[in-house]
Amino acid sequence: MTACDAVDGSSTGASGKIDLNTASPAALTRFFTALTGDQSKGSRIAAQIVEFRKPKAQGTPGAGSAEARFTTVMQLDQIDGMSPLLFRTALRHVTVRSGRPEPDIEAASPATLRLLNVAPKQAAGKRGLPTGGSMTIRADISAPDGTRFIREALVSLESGNGCPFVIREWRRGDIDSSSAQGAARACLRVRDAAAS
């Protein structure tokens, strides 16, 4: 049995995203204000993120302080005021691995640039694959009957352990109508499951 499905794939490097651990309060405020449409709510969420990433004192004397940083973007749902919809919308634009106070404009997705109210730079030429760092790879597959399957993988490009990459997280993606606009759709042949 064969079927022609539409496939849309994209990837975004971690350097083009808002880093929950290192983003400046101004970048966090701009981002969450754009997502919520409310300056005071965006400022409150940004302040809570900055507070979350501050080291907390340990309960035992002499233990020093523990690092209270985000270890995964999924911890964003622990921030007060983070509704499920806001959480799902923010996930594709945030990281915990870039180490940057502001996203790299050249690596940011058009959607992230719109949220930050930044005009994209004109591309000087095609960029090659990154040699290190982390990136999100998104696959959006549509069947002829309208069924969609969306998955995102956070991948670190490393050369350790003989592997060129490590998959850090798998996430279900949300439907974002702007991601498919203007994209050429490819035809994917699906063969009988027994053959795979």
Side-chain angles (χ1 to χ4, degrees), residues 139-177:
D140 183 345
I141 302 172
S142 298
D145 66 358
T147 305
R148 289 179 78 179
F149 178 82
I150 303 171
R151 289 293 182 267
E152 294 176 343
L154 174 62
V155 178
S156 291
L157 304 174
E158 300 174 346
S159 58
N161 298 335
C163 259
F165 64 90
V166 175
I167 297 175
R168 300 287 182 190
E169 289 181 15
W170 282 102
R171 300 189 286 253
R172 289 185 183 169
D174 283 336
I175 296 172
D176 177 13
S177 59

Side-chain angles (χ1 to χ4, degrees), residues 36-65:
T36 62
D38 181 340
Q39 174 71 38
S40 64
K41 187 170 185 178
S43 297
R44 279 193 312 273
I45 291 172
Q48 290 175 30
I49 289 171
V50 170
E51 187 62 30
F52 180 89
R53 63 192 191 190
K54 286 183 181 176
K56 308 286 188 263
Q58 291 280 10
T60 57
S65 64

